[in-house]
C-alpha cells in the first residue's frame, strides 16, 4: 500500500457506497443518504499519472460491461412482463448507461480528463462561480444525463481546488458557488451538494494510516456502487420493503461485491500464472 494513502478516505468511500445503496432502496432517510453522491464525486479530481487510455479502460470498460449486464436484465424483465423486449431502450443511454446509476462512469471519465485544465486557482474557482451563475440564469439541463452531470460539476471543481491548492481554496470554491445557487436557484439538491462535498473535504483534511481493512473498503466501494441494483431487485422480488429492504440491500451488496472482487482477483492471478 502507498505510504501516502489516507485510510480515512477509504473508509469514507465505503460508507458513501453504502449510502448510495440506501438511497436507491428509498428506505426512510434516503434523502439524507444522497449526500454520498457528491462525496464520491469530489474524489474524481484526485491527481493521477494514468494515461488517457488507462483512464478509459478503468472507467469506460466497466461502463460498457455493466450496461450490457443491465441491458440483459431490462430485456428479461420486459419479457417477463410481456412487454416488447427493447421497450426500455432510450437513446440517452448511450451516455447514461442502461441503469440509472451508470451515468457516473462516463461523467468520471470526462471529469478526470478535463481536470488538469482547471488546476490554476482562478480556473477552478472561476469555473465554479460561472457554472453556478449559468444554472441560476438558465436552470439545470433537462436532457439526460446532463442534469445529473450538472449535479457533479461543483463537487468536482471543489475537488480540483483541494488537490491543487488545499482546503482554503476548496472551501472558498464551494462556499461562493453554493451561495449563488442558494440565493438564485433554491433546491433541495443544493443542500445535498453542500453537505456531501463538505464532508469529503473534512475526510480529506484528516489522515489515518492505510491498513489492509481500509484497502479492502476502497476496493469494494466501486463494486458495491456498480452491482447494488441487482441486490435491490432481488430484495424487491422477495417482497422485502421499507427499512428491511435497506438493511437487506446493505448486507448483501457487500457480500455480492466481495464475490465479484474475489472472482476478479482470481481471474487476474490466473492470467499472471498463464
Amino acid at each position: 500500500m502507498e505510504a501516502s494513502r489516507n485510510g480515512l478516505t477509504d473508509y469514507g468511500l465505503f460508507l458513501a457506497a453504502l449510502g448510495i445503496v440506501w438511497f436507491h432502496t428509498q428506505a426512510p432517510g434516503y434523502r439524507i443518504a444522497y449526500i454520498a453522491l457528491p462525496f464520491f464525486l469530489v474524489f474524481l479530481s484526485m491527481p493521477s499519472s494514468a494515461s488517457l487510455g488507462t483512464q478509459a479502460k478503468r472507467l469506460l470498460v466497466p461502463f460498457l460491461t455493466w450496461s450490457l449486464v443491465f441491458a440483459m436484465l431490462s430485456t428479461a424483465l420486459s419479457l417477463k412482463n410481456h412487454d416488447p423486449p427493447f421497450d426500455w431502450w432510450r437513446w440517452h443511454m448511450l451516455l447514461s448507461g442502461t441503469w440509472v446509476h451508470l451515468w457516473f462512469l462516463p461523467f468520471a471519465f470526462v471529469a478526470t480528463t478535463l481536470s488538469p485544465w482547471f488546476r490554476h486557482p482562478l480556473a477552478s474557482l472561476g469555473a465554479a462561480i460561472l457554472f453556478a451563475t449559468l444554472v441560476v440564469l438558465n436552470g439545470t439541463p433537462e436532457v439526460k444525463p446532463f442534469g445529473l452531470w450538472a449535479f457533479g460539476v461543483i463537487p468536482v471543481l471543489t475537488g480540483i481546488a483541494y488537490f491543487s491548492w488545499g482546503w482554503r481554496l476548496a472551501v472558498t470554491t464551494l462556499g461562493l458557488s453554493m451561495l449563488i445557487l442558494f440565493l438564485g436557484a433554491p433546491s433541495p439538491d443544493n443542500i445535498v451538494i453542500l453537505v456531501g462535498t463538505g464532508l469529503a473535504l473534512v475526510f480529506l483534511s484528516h489522515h489515518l494510516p492505510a491498513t489492509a481493512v481500509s484497502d479492502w473498503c476502497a476496493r469494494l466501494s466501486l463494486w458495491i456502487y456498480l452491482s447494488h441494483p441487482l441486490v435491490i431487485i432481488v430484495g424487491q422480488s422477495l417482497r422485502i420493503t421499507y427499512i428491511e429492504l435497506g438493511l437487506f440491500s446493505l448486507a448483501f451488496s457487500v457480500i455480492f461485491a466481495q464475490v465479484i472482487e474475489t472472482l476478479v482477483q482470481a481471474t487476474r492471478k490466473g492470467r499472471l500464472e498463464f
Side-chain angles (χ1 to χ4, degrees):
M1 280 172 284
E2 301 174 16
S4 60
R5 189 180 182 109
N6 185 355
L8 185 61
T9 59
D10 291 341
Y11 298 130
L13 289 170
F14 182 78
L15 293 174
L18 296 182
I20 295 296
V21 176
W22 192 269
F23 172 75
H24 281 141
T25 64
Q26 303 288 286
Y30 75 96
R31 284 298 303 179
I32 297 174
Y34 197 34
I35 63 175
L37 182 54
F39 186 100
F40 254 122
L41 293 167
V42 171
F43 291 86
L44 297 181
S45 306
M46 186 175 291
S48 172
S49 59
S51 66
L52 186 64
T54 300
Q55 293 284 29
K57 182 179 180 181
R58 185 172 67 90
L59 296 168
L60 298 184
V61 171
F63 173 71
L64 295 174
T65 302
W66 285 93
S67 287
L68 179 61
V69 169
F70 285 103
M72 292 189 293
L73 174 63
S74 296
T75 301
L77 291 174
S78 294
L79 293 174
K80 178 183 177 182
N81 296 325
H82 305 290
D83 295 327
F86 298 106
D87 191 48
W88 52 269
W89 171 256
R90 302 293 182 271
W91 283 106
H92 69 76
M93 291 179 178
L94 291 172
L95 285 177
S96 64
T98 55
W99 212 265
V100 63
H101 69 308
L102 295 177
W103 72 271
F104 178 87
L105 292 171
F107 175 79
F109 177 72
V110 172
T112 55
T113 301
L114 296 181
S115 61
W117 296 88
F118 293 93
R119 286 180 183 163
H120 189 282
L122 293 181
S124 54
L125 176 60
I129 292 174
L130 176 61
F131 173 78
T133 303
L134 290 175
V135 170
V136 170
L137 295 177
N138 300 312
T140 302
E142 295 184 1
V143 178
K144 294 181 179 179
F146 299 114
L148 289 167
W149 286 30
F151 181 93
V153 169
I154 289 178
V156 167
L157 290 171
T158 300
I160 293 173
Y162 175 85
F163 290 116
S164 301
W165 299 94
W167 67 268
R168 288 182 177 85
L169 181 62
V171 169
T172 302
T173 301
L174 177 62
L176 290 179
S177 57
M178 293 309 302
L179 179 62
I180 294 171
L181 289 179
F182 273 109
L183 294 176
S187 167
D189 281 349
N190 292 343
I191 298 175
V192 172
I193 293 171
L194 177 62
V195 175
T197 305
L199 278 175
L201 294 180
V202 171
F203 273 68
L204 285 166
S205 300
H206 296 78
H207 192 277
L208 285 178
T211 65
V213 174
S214 68
D215 181 65
W216 176 83
C217 287
R219 286 185 285 107
L220 251 63
S221 60
L222 183 59
W223 293 129
I224 291 171
Y225 181 90
L226 291 173
S227 65
H228 74 272
L230 298 173
V231 177
I232 295 174
I233 290 171
V234 170
Q236 291 171 335
S237 69
L238 295 174
R239 301 188 183 279
I240 303 173
T241 58
Y242 203 56
I243 293 177
E244 290 81 2
L245 177 61
L247 296 175
F248 172 91
S249 300
L250 290 180
F252 283 94
S253 289
V254 173
I255 294 171
F256 190 33
Q258 180 60 67
V259 171
I260 296 172
E261 171 68 11
T262 301
L263 292 174
V264 168
Q265 293 300 327
T267 301
R268 290 174 179 170
K269 183 179 178 181
R271 287 176 180 172
L272 290 174
E273 290 177 349
F274 179 77

